[in-house]
Amino acid sequence: MTYVEEIMEQVVKNNPGQPEFHQAVKEVLDSIALVIDKHEEEYRELRILERLLEPERSHSFRVAWIDHNGKAQVNRGYRVQFNSAIGPYKGGLRFHPTVNSSVMNFLAFEQTFKNALTGQAIGGGKGGSDFDPKGKTDIDIMNFCQSFMVELYKYIGPNEDVPAGDIGVGGREIGYLYGMYKRLTHQYEGALSGKGLSYGGSLVRTEATGYGLTYITEEMLRHAGKTIAGKKVCVSGSGNVATYAIEKVTQMGGTVLTASDSSGYVYDPNGIQADVIKEIKEVRRARIKEYCDLVPTATFVPGKKVWEVACDVALPCAIQNELDLDDAKTLVANGCFAVAEGANMPTTREATDYLQEQGILFMPGKASNAGGVAVSALEMAQNSMRISRSFEEVDNDLKNIMKDIYKQVSEAAADYDREGNFVVGANIAGFRRVVKAMREQGIV
């Protein structure tokens, strides 16, 4: 049995009932086996994989809070601080009913490699709660966020761990969280990113993940002799990532045909309008179906996924494992030639393998989803120096970071004779940077 096979067995044994974590680990191990096999004796002796796959710290805690009716509620909170070899832990907070220890471990593990690819001094972490913000009042959201921070603040700080937003955690939630952090610590510091512009936030942070996804997709297409301009694009989701991917694809001359939420999807042959999505999701906080009330050319398709719509490029921006093997087959049959992940692991392993076998350009989330955390790190730097920067300056940095990520991923794949396999390239590039830092710091 190889070192990689032994470790995979150990991960499953030590983390029972965590399918998302197992999936993420196996995908990475299958890729980095190419590296491990060349240095197996050394990596065994240093216990590199054992240390890499065990979180440095993992916190779970009760969050008790009072809703707007005066009733007590209880949720579970998490913060997984996976790896700090490169820098302080960095990763978002997710408020969603699917949050559990498996999802947190998977996201924190993925974040470690994603952050390494940005080239910035940030380690990997992730957190959140099984709290569901949908249907809650502003008072509910504030009360929950404040109670959540009463526990979380013990584990974070500008030089230790800097959370940001994720699914269910936007500007409103970050504001409430940061307000309570200040009250508890008496510190006005960059302990959270994604803050409002009036209190230390960075321009482009809101747009960063969706814009970054589009920039790296364009770079991938450019190297294949194509471009986003004139292409039909399917986007899933209607949250922050999807909204700004739609906006940037449209600005770059593409036509986005779809947007979705858990109730179904809307289809507009004339192109989904990002401003309308913002109105529905950020102002009204309503379901995607309402898009059709505002845009007469759109159609709502209940209970279905967007992947049945013929497109050139697919951008899954909703949630993990949303694009399965049947969806992948449908995309290929309908002429799709490129897929780039806007969410974290939105494509199942079987679907990913099939798409690559069919010659589809495929960019994994740990590379294509990295724009948000990249600008979060820029926000951390701005907070440390007490400065602000223009939208154009930050956006230009984001473009360059995403281009550099493409270069790293492409070159790492080529180094191991896997040209064009960006999954392998992303895993190897991230792994090499993290492990180099771990080795240089000794057994800690």
Side-chain angles (χ1 to χ4, degrees):
M1 185 180 293
T2 68
Y3 183 32
V4 166
E5 290 170 339
E6 289 176 16
I7 292 301
M8 190 65 229
E9 282 194 3
Q10 184 177 314
V11 167
V12 173
K13 179 181 177 182
N14 292 346
N15 302 276
Q18 296 197 18
E20 293 88 356
F21 184 47
H22 300 165
Q23 179 185 345
V25 170
K26 185 169 184 359
E27 188 249 328
V28 170
L29 289 181
D30 285 350
S31 295
I32 65 172
L34 296 165
V35 183
I36 297 296
D37 289 346
K38 291 189 175 183
H39 310 279
E40 182 168 330
E41 185 176 339
E42 178 187 1
Y43 285 164
R44 275 183 182 274
E45 182 179 349
L46 295 175
R47 296 292 189 267
I48 289 293
L49 294 183
E50 289 89 338
R51 289 191 286 140
L52 182 65
L53 295 171
E54 186 69 29
E56 293 174 6
R57 298 178 188 84
S58 186
H59 309 285
S60 66
F61 44 87
R62 182 185 67 199
V63 184
W65 57 284
I66 303 296
D67 68 17
H68 68 284
N69 291 316
K71 294 183 179 179
Q73 304 289 343
V74 180
N75 289 94
R76 179 173 290 181
Y78 300 88
R79 189 63 182 174
V80 177
Q81 298 169 324
F82 215 96
N83 190 289
S84 61
I86 294 175
Y89 309 106
K90 187 83 188 78
L93 298 170
R94 175 176 295 191
F95 292 169
H96 194 273
T98 61
V99 165
N100 56 36
S101 57
S102 176
V103 170
M104 289 292 97
N105 279 333
F106 131 62
L107 290 170
F109 176 67
E110 288 276 298
Q111 196 77 42
T112 299
F113 294 91
K114 181 192 304 184
N115 292 359
L117 289 173
T118 70
Q120 295 164 300
I122 43 178
K126 206 76 177 182
S129 173
D130 57 3
F131 171 77
D132 188 357
K134 289 181 181 176
K136 302 294 194 300
T137 67
D138 278 350
I139 292 296
D140 291 336
I141 300 291
M142 183 178 70
N143 287 348
F144 174 80
C145 287
Q146 291 177 341
S147 293
F148 183 84
M149 183 53 75
V150 166
E151 295 299 326
L152 182 67
Y153 91 98
K154 304 167 187 175
Y155 314 117
I156 66 173
N159 297 306
E160 179 180 359
D161 185 349
V162 183
D166 193 80
I167 294 173
V169 179
R172 172 182 58 170
E173 289 76 17
I174 292 292
Y176 293 149
L177 290 165
Y178 189 66
M180 181 54 76
Y181 178 83
K182 283 199 307 163
R183 184 176 180 183
L184 292 166
T185 65
H186 310 290
Q187 297 294 320
Y188 191 97
E189 57 190 14
L192 286 158
S193 59
K195 301 183 295 298
L197 296 176
S198 61
Y199 59 101
S202 171
L203 289 162
V204 191
R205 178 58 191 91
T206 303
E207 298 88 350
T209 310
Y211 278 21
L213 167 65
T214 311
Y215 293 148
I216 200 169
T217 301
E218 177 73 355
E219 190 71 2
M220 178 173 69
L221 294 180
R222 186 176 68 82
H223 281 82
K226 303 177 186 292
T227 180
I228 285 176
K231 301 301 185 296
K232 295 180 178 179
V233 181
C234 275
V235 172
S236 66
S238 51
N240 177 271
V241 181
T243 299
Y244 289 100
I246 291 168
E247 181 172 276
K248 183 53 67 173
V249 167
T250 304
Q251 290 175 4
M252 296 174 71
T255 301
V256 179
L257 302 175
T258 61
S260 67
D261 62 19
S262 58
S263 66
Y265 73 87
V266 289
Y267 167 74
D268 189 350
N270 294 332
I272 297 292
Q273 300 172 37
D275 288 347
V276 178
I277 297 291
K278 292 176 193 177
E279 169 68 23
I280 294 167
K281 291 297 182 176
E282 297 175 11
V283 179
R284 300 186 184 188
R285 302 190 185 278
R287 306 302 282 167
I288 196 67
K289 183 179 181 180
E290 291 197 13
Y291 184 95
C292 299
D293 297 335
L294 301 175
V295 182
T297 56
T299 304
F300 176 67
V301 181
K304 296 286 188 71
K305 293 191 279 188
V306 305
W307 316 122
E308 64 184 14
V309 177
C311 65
D312 302 309
V313 177
L315 303 177
C317 298
I319 202 165
Q320 65 265 15
N321 292 324
E322 59 166 299
L323 198 164
D324 61 25
L325 180 57
D326 288 339
D327 299 323
K329 290 180 177 178
T330 299
L331 285 172
V332 172
N334 286 338
C336 177
F337 57 76
V339 176
E341 296 183 319
N344 292 293
M345 203 172 70
T347 313
T348 67
R349 179 62 184 274
E350 295 77 14
T352 299
D353 290 345
Y354 178 80
L355 290 167
Q356 292 182 307
E357 289 164 4
Q358 297 300 310
I360 305 302
L361 297 168
F362 185 88
M363 187 61 67
K366 60 173 60 71
S368 50
N369 176 262
V373 74
V375 174
S376 280
L378 297 177
E379 180 179 328
M380 290 167 62
Q382 291 182 59
N383 290 167
S384 295
M385 294 184 285
R386 300 293 195 272
I387 63 170
S388 61
R389 300 172 71 223
S390 71
F391 189 99
E392 291 74 18
E393 288 176 313
V394 179
D395 191 36
N396 188 59
D397 282 351
L398 174 60
K399 288 179 186 176
N400 289 333
I401 288 169
M402 300 313 293
K403 286 181 178 180
D404 183 66
I405 290 174
Y406 176 85
K407 184 174 183 287
Q408 290 182 65
V409 168
S410 182
E411 290 179 351
D415 287 346
Y416 288 85
D417 299 320
R418 296 294 190 276
E419 287 89 350
N421 190 328
F422 303 127
V423 173
V424 168
N427 288 327
I428 289 177
F431 173 77
R432 290 194 298 198
R433 185 169 183 230
V434 173
V435 169
K436 185 176 188 295
M438 290 174 65
R439 291 174 63 188
E440 291 175 354
Q441 294 169 35
I443 307 297
V444 293

